[in-house]
Amino acid sequence: MCGIVGCVLDKKVAPTILKSIKKLEYRGYDSIGIATVTDTINVKKGQGKIDEVDSKLDFEDMGGNIGIAHVRWATHGNPTKENSHPHCDCNNNISVVHNGIIENYKDLRKELMDEGHQFKSETDTEVIPHLIEKYLDEGLEYLEAVQTTIKRLNGSYALAILNKDMPDTLIGVRNESPLIVGVSDNGNYVASDVPAILNETNKVIYLKDKEIIRLTKDNVEVMNLDLEPIEKEVTKITWSPDRAEKGGYDHFMIKEIYEEPQVIKDTLSEAEKIKDIVGKFKKFNRICFVACGTSYHASLVGEYLIESQTGIPTEVMLASEFDYFQNTIDEDTLIIFITQSGETADTIKALKKIKNKAETLAIVNVVGSTITREADHVIYTRAGPEISVAATKTYISQLVCIYLLVAYLNEDEELIEKLYSISKLSEQLLDNEEHIQEIAKKYKDANNFFYVGRGFNYPTALEGALKLKEITYIHGEGYPAGELKHGPLALLDENIPVVGILPPGPSYNKTFNNLEEIKARGANLILLCANDDTQVDGMGDTLRFNPIIDEELAPLLYIIDLQFLAYYISIERGIDPDKPKNLAKSVTVE
Ligand code: AGP
């Protein structure tokens, strides 16, 4: 996920475009770049947050009434100045900013390099200005050159494009990445998201996939891929700027939960890379995961999966406890470090300690983060920036990577197919939201919760309880369903709600019996089960799931309802779920 903005105005564009791109910093903060057109294309770009780079480069100083800007969330190539957008063609005539992923960029890059084009970055984006240059050189009109370029791209893209020789025209294109148009009396805009333009105009045109727009200061034209004009409706936005930044949601956390179906899809696009990495592993006879918090819970799902599916002995260590166990690690161990931020001090310290002793793999969301420079292999989760302190979509993307890893370790094609079907099913899950709101109202005043599950879903119970603790300040305890009878049953009464995770599968009957024991002690049950489960009727509140999701895959989906539950209890208690007290998004101290 990156953020792009473009404007054609009746005045100098730099101050406005800088203000606009700052509103998209939530979409990426590795680097920033701006291009404008005067008698040449002017580009200023650098690595770092917008204010840091601006204080060195002074963006507002740039001349020109037309410009494009970009904030980057790195996907291809480290977050360096060279990889920052905008990217230009060989002669600096075409300049492009891009949000998305060009899947066939390697083939295109090779073709263009063979034809003599010179590349300055490692990005997938840079093929775009070079392709436009190629088609202009072959004699096509500008718009046709863009059209021909687009037809050669596979993948997702929102683009804003400048041409030195057409200094009053900005072209934008959208395909599977967001792009909107802003219309005003003083000029026109394109942007990844509404907040970027809301200070300038509230009149917006929403684009569909494969639509092209041509903007001048006074005119907006929308076309299809055959360059035929399309009539579009102008919508008036009534959101406040703060709400707009959250995509119309009240908080980043709920926005990020809603992004989860897309995140599953995006992370599945890493399948081939994960397959390559698995092919490069040295021989190992043991796997060890090291992580903290939510990433630790994802690792536990990994342990259950790997042991049950591949028979490889696997264990999970908390990064902060790693010191006490590291002596058993040897060169036959593969160690997998999971961290969304890539900056967690406990996890990095553990990796640094062990990196020369065993083969290491990092599963991480932030490209170029510290951990990516230390591990032998890196798998990127594709969750995009996560702003809310409580991890939601990054957990889902970690799980997808783990399932893919297990599928390739085990050469299990069936599991890969199941993962693709999960990405569709996840959209249905968002349907339970209203019912969860009612449950949240009912239990908002409880002081303690238990979350119970077995096997693959014991980690789901732990993660559900962690979400509750973090953002509602209610004590939540995750427990293996079979373990309550060995002590905690003594605590239970009608004041302690118990969340039972009860997907269909081999563990069902045992878990069901445990839940009956709990019910018999007077506790109120909230049950996560299949749509066609009639055994649970009358036992408590139910949250229903598609029956084809069995216990092996349930961790990927059942957690979404537990994230909603924590979110709505937090709202009921008047807490800001995005900024829980005492917690930070990235924990850089031991
Ligand atoms: C999750 O909601 C928490 N914010 C926290 O437990 C987090 O998962 C933990 O600090 C590890 O962070 P990491 O994934 O960035 O390493």
Side-chain angles (χ1 to χ4, degrees), residues 292-295 338-342 344 389-391 398 466-467 470 587:
C292 308
T294 291
S295 301
I338 302 192
T339 164
Q340 71 79 23
S341 63
T344 301
V389 165
Q398 290 168 346
L466 178 65
K467 288 289 92 81
E470 279 186 288
V587 186

Side-chain angles (χ1 to χ4, degrees), residues 290-297 319 338-348 363-366 371 386 388-392 394-395 398 463 466-467 470-471 580 583-588:
V290 180
C292 308
T294 291
S295 301
Y296 172 76
H297 297 151
I338 302 192
T339 164
Q340 71 79 23
S341 63
E343 302 294 348
T344 301
D346 290 320
T347 313
I348 289 168
I363 298 181
V364 56
N365 196 40
V366 182
I371 205 141
E386 189 176 66
S388 179
V389 165
T392 52
T394 53
Y395 177 67
Q398 290 168 346
E463 176 58 11
L466 178 65
K467 288 289 92 81
E470 279 186 288
I471 62 166
L583 298 178
K585 184 70 188 161
S586 180
V587 186
T588 53

